[in-house]
Amino acid sequence: MTTDRKEKASLLLIYTGGTIGMKQDPVTQTLRPFDFSQILAEVPELSKFAYRIDSVSFDPIIDSSDIDPEAWKQLVSHIEARYDDYDGFVILHGTDTMAYSASALSFMIEGLTKPVVFTGSQLPIGMPRTDGKENLISAVEIAADKDGCGHARVPEVCICFDNHLYRGNRTNKMSAEEFKAFRSPNLPPLAEAGISIRYNDALIIKPSDWNVKPKFHKDLDTRVSILKIHPGITRQVVRNILCGEETRAVIIETYGSGNAPSAGWFLEIVREAASMGKILLNVTQCLSGAVDMGIYANGKALMDCGVTGGSDITTEAALGKLFYLLGKTAENDKVMSEIIKNLRGEISI
Ligand code: ASP
């Protein structure tokens, strides 16, 4: 669908599904996706912007719990194919896995010069108290915004939700109920929408050359597991996850600043996994803060076994980063040297 107006900026809206475009099934009472053309009809405010807004829709549209790396490749392909035709991209996506998708896309597109803004809602757009309209309108405005030189204000993969714009790979979903569904615990918002949109320019990453087209990476290697440490975790579970034949990397979600049990059997399995060449990345279970394995003996023991510290990276970003890095090379040593680098603003180092 195309809205023809005096041309100021042009945007591509990519609709994947999610609550924003759902409707209650009168029989089962469950929320089901409905046709995208109805979404724009629900937001006539969009026509007040003098933007050209085109849209494409996933077929079928999905609940974001069904998002997978194939869907990420599809999103990247849409952006790659139309990169020169638009000033920005808005992705309508369910909230459940939005932080994973925004993280993955931030790695899959290298050298962005245009905004890629994810948004969605907690209440369907057709409901009277929906947050979907406001989220969509803010996302559209931000995706179209330019600075005095005609460059995109935010050439990053972001999430726009509840009047805040976050760097996508710094977010996680924090509420299944509140309109403030996302947070970015270790990085302030890139922008806040009040009467006007206030950008935090010092934080926004700009390309080194605005004229160079991004690189689009679609080779992902998903042989990554996540081990969440908890009291009472068994040897069998630890061994199955850390030493699994199919696994190239494991994100170990540890306590506090990167601590885990110091039991001999536990450290022995970690050492064994490291000697098998597995990439072991330490990410904290805490809501904010960073891994520093030098603080406690329990953390230091992990480090000595060959575990790499993930600083303040989120699990969502760590997963996308590993899929991307493993997809680039079969050599785990190379991945290990890249995983600790700040590639897309995902980590404070
Ligand atoms: N289950 C929905 C989804 O992620 C939830 C939402 O959109 O808020 O697709």
Side-chain angles (χ1 to χ4, degrees):
M1 174 182 165
T2 304
T3 316
D4 267 326
R5 307 284 305 183
K6 185 172 134 257
E7 212 159 303
K8 241 193 189 172
S10 56
L11 298 176
L12 182 67
L13 237 78
I14 308 174
Y15 177 49
T16 68
T19 296
I20 191 162
M22 289 191 182
K23 210 171 168 176
Q24 206 160 37
D25 183 309
V27 180
T28 64
Q29 305 300 315
T30 55
L31 290 173
R32 297 189 159 280
F34 71 99
D35 179 31
F36 181 69
S37 55
Q38 295 179 45
I39 294 187
L40 289 184
E42 294 286 347
V43 196
E45 293 88 342
L46 284 178
S47 62
K48 292 196 178 138
F49 293 119
Y51 304 150
R52 175 166 66 90
I53 303 178
D54 296 338
S55 61
V56 287
S57 182
F58 269 28
D59 184 17
I61 43 183
I62 52 177
D63 185 293
S64 80
S65 337
D66 286 320
I67 283 282
D68 61 10
E70 285 310 311
W72 295 337
K73 290 179 201 174
Q74 215 180 311
L75 280 172
V76 170
S77 297
H78 277 305
I79 295 170
E80 182 178 19
R82 297 163 179 86
Y83 196 76
D84 293 332
D85 303 334
Y86 295 97
D87 296 305
F89 301 84
V90 174
I91 300 177
L92 295 181
H93 192 290
T95 57
D96 289 347
T97 58
M98 194 185 289
Y100 286 95
S101 294
S103 294
L105 259 69
S106 76
F107 296 107
M108 294 170 78
I109 311 177
E110 183 179 357
L112 253 185
T113 54
K114 299 178 180 185
V116 174
V117 185
F118 280 77
T119 195
S121 69
Q122 293 283 58
L123 274 180
I125 212 153
M127 287 196 174
R129 290 179 51 254
T130 184
D131 53 331
K133 279 189 185 188
E134 210 169 273
N135 288 345
L136 178 55
I137 292 166
S138 299
V140 160
E141 196 170 347
I142 289 167
D145 212 355
K146 302 214 174 132
D147 65 17
C149 305
H151 296 137
R153 282 304 292 264
V154 191
E156 292 206 38
V157 179
C158 324
I159 289 184
C160 181
F161 222 92
D162 192 42
N163 294 319
H164 289 80
L165 185 75
Y166 304 109
R167 177 170 301 148
N169 59 32
R170 288 293 195 153
T171 59
N172 37 54
K173 184 173 177 180
M174 67 165 203
S175 176
E177 198 172 294
E178 288 168 25
F179 286 152
K180 185 173 169 49
F182 291 91
R183 60 188 183 143
S184 167
N186 289 318
L187 190 82
L190 301 182
E192 282 179 58
I195 288 175
S196 59
I197 296 173
R198 293 181 306 278
Y199 292 93
N200 194 345
D201 284 312
L203 288 181
I204 297 170
I205 300 172
K206 303 279 164 66
S208 48
D209 186 341
W210 289 96
N211 297 314
V212 175
K213 235 179 140 168
K215 287 192 187 125
F216 298 92
H217 303 277
K218 278 173 268 179
D219 291 326
L220 300 177
D221 184 341
T222 58
R223 287 176 290 170
V224 181
S225 302
I226 300 175
L227 174 67
K228 181 166 183 161
I229 301 296
H230 60 83
I233 197 164
T234 65
R235 258 170 230 240
Q236 184 125 27
V237 167
V238 174
R239 176 176 296 285
N240 287 348
I241 297 180
L242 288 188
C243 302
E245 233 174 82
E246 270 298 296
T247 304
R248 279 183 71 190
V250 183
I251 297 164
I252 308 179
E253 282 194 359
T254 57
Y255 306 128
S257 55
N259 305 309
S262 60
W265 66 264
F266 178 82
L267 295 175
E268 207 174 292
I269 299 173
V270 175
R271 227 174 280 122
E272 189 183 329
S275 68
M276 289 166 83
K278 313 276 186 202
I279 297 156
L280 307 173
L281 184 68
N282 191 343
V283 170
T284 180
Q285 292 174 19
C286 284
L287 302 185
S288 64
V291 163
D292 179 349
M293 291 188 283
I295 300 180
Y296 294 95
N298 284 35
K300 170 87 169 43
L302 278 184
M303 189 161 64
D304 293 343
C305 290
V307 174
T308 302
S311 181
D312 61 355
I313 197 167
T314 62
T315 297
E316 291 87 338
L319 194 77
K321 190 173 183 177
L322 280 165
F323 282 3
Y324 157 72
L325 289 175
L326 295 176
K328 270 180 48 168
T329 174
E331 292 170 54
N332 281 12
D333 287 355
K334 284 197 181 149
V335 175
M336 274 193 239
S337 65
E338 287 288 294
I339 193 78
I340 50 172
K341 292 185 188 156
N342 177 18
L343 302 182
R344 309 279 194 272
E346 75 283 3
I347 189 171
S348 311
I349 45 173

